[in-house]
């Protein structure tokens, strides 16, 4: 079935964005690195058995990196490579879940504020102003302190602290589109509000939203690691990069590899996402098109 004119136009725009992204070497490095980290997390059971994460061996404690244990062993004799691999699954999962939920809530609030304006806009944005007055990491810390440490509470806390940013970005992206002639034409035809927003407005505002999601994912991974580092996130013995950093503080002088490896992976994940986000921003910016 042949594509419609609009579908052909969108396909052409996507190809143009992809070609611009491919020409950005730093963005492609970021894409490759984060893709490898995601593949490592998804296929973790094929890389190393989960039993290696839990099995302790007092005779193999503090072993430096070797052929048998590429990243060495920790204070309980557990294979550190296995814990890094499965820790990535936890850290990246938290990031993607928080971004997905926060972006969904932000889409509803931001699009509603921009589309309906008036009282709805004032109420929604004043609530976002109140939440924005508190630094996001501090707000997440307060929420997780009230709810208690743990994976679910960590996700709830980081999601709530991320919603104001998404709401503001989405509102700013939707506002210029709401007043366009094709939106007025859709209203005149009697099209329902949800269909107008989902079918006509959001597809034309996805560029800044995608960039924000990529940047937020990097920030959330760091925030989750930071909260776990101070004991307010995922609790031992579950592997998570931030919690592993916290546990390794005691052995920084005697076994520095225990803090080096999780630190490297946190930096790689955050840096690769930032590089990819910068590349997406440039590729999606119409002012930078050749």
């Amino acid at each position: 079935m042949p594509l419609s004119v609009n579908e052909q136009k969108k396909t052409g725009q996507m190809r143009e964005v992809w070609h611009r992204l491919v020409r950005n070497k730093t963005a492609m490095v970021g894409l490759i690195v984060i893709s490898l980290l995601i593949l490592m997390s998804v296929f973790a059971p094929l890389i190393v058995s989960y039993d290696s994460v839990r099995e302790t061996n007092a005779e193999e404690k503090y072993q430096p990196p070797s052929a048998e244990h590429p990243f060495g062993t920790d204070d309980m004799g557990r294979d550190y490579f296995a814990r890094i691999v499965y820790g990535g699954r936890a850290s990246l999962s938290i990031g993607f879940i928080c971004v997905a939920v926060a972006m969904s809530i932000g889409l509803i609030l931001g699009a509603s504020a921009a589309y309906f304006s008036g009282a709805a806009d004032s109420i929604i944005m004043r609530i976002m102003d109140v939440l924005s007055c508190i630094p996001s990491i501090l707000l997440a810390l307060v929420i997780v302190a009230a709810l208690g440490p743990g994976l679910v509470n960590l996700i709830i806390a980081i999601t709530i602290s991320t919603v104001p940013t998404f709401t503001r970005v989405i509102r700013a992206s939707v506002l210029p589109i709401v007043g366009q002639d094709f939106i007025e034409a859709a209203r005149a035809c009697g099209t329902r509000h949800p269909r107008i927003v989902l079918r006509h407005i959001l597809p034309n505002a996805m560029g800044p939203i995608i960039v924000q999601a990529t940047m937020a994912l990097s920030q959330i991974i760091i925030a989750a690691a930071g909260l776990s580092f101070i004991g307010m996130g995922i609790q031992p013995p579950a592997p998570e990069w931030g919690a592993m950093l916290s546990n390794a503080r005691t052995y920084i002088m005697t076994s520095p590899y225990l803090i080096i490896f999780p630190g490297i992976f946190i930096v790689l994940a955050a840096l690769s996402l930032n590089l990819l986000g910068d590349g997406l921003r440039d590729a999606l910016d119409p002012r930078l098109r050749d």
Side-chain angles (χ1 to χ4, degrees):
M1 184 177 179
L3 298 175
S4 65
V5 175
N6 289 335
E7 290 175 337
Q8 291 177 357
K9 184 178 179 181
K10 289 180 181 179
T11 302
Q13 291 174 343
M14 291 176 63
R15 288 177 179 172
E16 181 183 356
V17 169
W18 172 249
H19 289 318
R20 290 176 59 83
L21 183 64
V22 169
R23 290 199 295 269
N24 189 324
K25 292 183 173 59
T26 57
M28 292 308 297
V29 169
L31 178 60
I32 292 171
V33 171
I34 193 60
S35 297
L36 291 175
L37 292 176
I38 292 172
L39 289 173
M40 178 191 75
S41 301
V42 172
F43 297 104
L46 300 179
I47 300 174
V48 62
S49 172
Y50 189 73
D51 292 336
S52 301
V53 175
R54 299 177 298 178
E55 290 179 351
T56 61
N57 189 339
E59 296 179 357
E60 295 187 355
K61 294 193 299 183
Y62 309 118
Q63 287 194 3
S66 61
E68 184 179 0
H69 302 288
F71 290 176
T73 60
D74 63 7
D75 57 320
M76 301 182 68
R78 296 172 297 196
D79 184 72
Y80 216 53
F81 174 73
R83 293 185 65 78
I84 287 288
V85 171
Y86 282 92
R89 172 176 280 193
S91 297
L92 295 177
S93 296
I94 292 171
F96 281 107
I97 292 172
C98 290
V99 165
V101 177
M103 185 169 64
S104 300
I105 297 173
L107 282 171
I108 296 172
L109 296 178
S112 299
Y115 183 78
F116 294 107
S117 64
D121 186 19
S122 298
I123 293 172
I124 292 173
M125 296 315 298
R126 294 302 75 77
I127 295 174
M128 295 301 109
D129 287 342
V130 171
L131 294 176
S132 298
C133 289
I134 309 172
S136 58
I137 187 64
L138 181 58
L139 178 59
L141 179 59
V142 170
I143 295 171
V144 79
L147 297 177
L151 176 60
V152 176
N153 293 341
L154 178 64
I155 291 174
I156 293 173
I158 295 178
T159 298
I160 293 175
S161 66
T162 310
V163 165
T165 304
F166 273 107
T167 302
R168 289 182 174 278
V169 170
I170 292 167
R171 177 181 179 273
S173 301
V174 170
L175 271 176
I177 302 173
V178 171
Q180 297 292 322
D181 292 339
F182 69 94
I183 301 298
E184 295 297 332
R187 287 173 174 166
C189 293
T191 307
R192 294 180 179 273
H193 296 313
R195 182 174 178 82
I196 293 176
V197 173
L198 295 174
R199 185 78 174 173
H200 301 291
I201 295 179
L202 289 182
N204 292 286
M206 287 307 295
I209 298 173
I210 292 173
V211 174
Q212 177 58 33
T214 307
M215 295 296 192
L217 184 56
S218 168
Q219 297 167 2
I220 288 171
I221 289 174
I222 295 176
L227 291 172
S228 295
F229 181 81
I230 60 176
M232 302 301 291
I234 295 179
Q235 300 298 299
E240 196 273 337
W241 291 339
M244 293 170 69
L245 274 177
S246 179
N247 185 63
R249 287 179 300 174
T250 311
Y251 315 105
I252 188 171
M253 299 304 296
T254 57
S255 302
Y257 63 88
L258 292 177
I259 203 168
I260 290 174
F261 287 118
I264 287 175
F265 276 84
I266 291 173
V267 170
L268 282 176
L271 179 60
S272 62
L273 286 166
N274 281 329
L275 293 176
L276 178 58
D278 287 339
L280 284 172
R281 181 191 59 202
D282 295 341
L284 291 166
D285 191 343
R287 295 170 297 180
L288 298 177
R289 290 177 183 171
D290 299 331

